[in-house]
Amino acid sequence: MEDCVKRIGELERLFSDNQYYGRGKDAFFIEEGIVPVMVSAPHAVKQFRDGKIKKADVYTGGIARYLHEVTGCHLICSGRYTENDPNYDQPGSNAYQDALLEYLNGRRIAALLDLHGVVKEREYAIELGTVPTLSEEDTSLHEYKFIADLLIGIFESGFKECSCEKKSVWKNKIFSAGNQNT
């Protein structure tokens, strides 16, 4: 576990440079994977929303890069600050979402995991947002509805060995992933 945490810290430096404004010339980057899962870290660096600069979701970029490294998943991450929010701004005015949609088109991706941080005041360690509606739960999972239960089981199992304070995994309680342009 210590090696994993150390490696995530090393991978996070790409985003933490320049006080989480990131480094490099590209606003985001995509890396090809070999398994049918796409991991996204849209707030790995600071972002701009509603007239103000918002804090980065610290370690989401490092975690996303680590998952790509150890599983071979596809990857998209914000790489440097721009004056938009990849999860909030309208498609067509949002290069991150546009590039993600173009990348996914024609590829067999079974799941998109969009990583976000959580403030320490929350009662949970992880929440899965699966875009439920009033008529049907987990609409974003299509025929792969088992994925949510699988992820919850994996996270809960991992937390058993973790010395972290918060270990509960929630689903669609606060953040259902049903917000604007998510």
Side-chain angles (χ1 to χ4, degrees), residues 3-14:
D3 291 341
C4 167
V5 172
K6 180 181 175 189
R7 182 65 181 143
I8 290 170
E10 292 167 357
L11 295 168
E12 182 71 6
R13 287 189 199 121
L14 174 70

Side-chain angles (χ1 to χ4, degrees), residues 1 4 28 40 50 65 75 84 113 116 121 138 148 176 180:
M1 181 70 140
C4 167
F28 60 89
S40 169
D50 296 331
R65 291 180 70 205
L75 172 70
N84 68 9
L113 302 177
H116 292 272
E121 292 79 21
D138 298 334
S176 68
Q180 173 179 323

Side-chain angles (χ1 to χ4, degrees), residues 6-126:
K6 180 181 175 189
R7 182 65 181 143
I8 290 170
E10 292 167 357
L11 295 168
E12 182 71 6
R13 287 189 199 121
L14 174 70
F15 311 101
S16 63
D17 277 0
N18 195 19
Q19 299 177 333
Y20 275 94
Y21 283 93
R23 68 171 129 125
K25 61 180 173 50
D26 297 321
F28 60 89
F29 58 91
I30 296 176
E31 295 183 15
E32 185 85 24
I34 57 171
V35 298
V37 174
M38 182 86 176
V39 174
S40 169
H43 297 154
V45 297
K46 292 178 181 179
Q47 72 274 187
F48 190 79
R49 183 193 301 176
D50 296 331
K52 33 186 177 176
I53 296 173
K54 295 188 60 144
K55 293 180 182 178
D57 291 350
V58 177
Y59 288 104
T60 58
I63 291 168
R65 291 180 70 205
Y66 182 76
L67 290 171
H68 171 71
E69 196 173 86
V70 300
T71 69
C73 65
H74 301 264
L75 172 70
I76 183 171
C77 290
S78 290
R80 69 168 171 79
Y81 172 80
T82 61
E83 292 202 350
N84 68 9
D85 183 329
N87 264 139
Y88 188 79
D89 295 340
Q90 295 285 337
S93 68
N94 184 333
Y96 187 99
Q97 279 189 25
D98 294 343
L100 175 59
L101 289 171
E102 183 179 323
Y103 183 83
L104 294 174
N105 191 21
R107 287 186 172 81
R108 294 185 50 111
I109 304 292
L112 169 66
L113 302 177
D114 197 37
L115 303 180
H116 292 272
V118 62
V119 295
K120 63 183 174 184
E121 292 79 21
R122 297 279 188 216
E123 299 173 38
Y124 56 87
I126 293 176

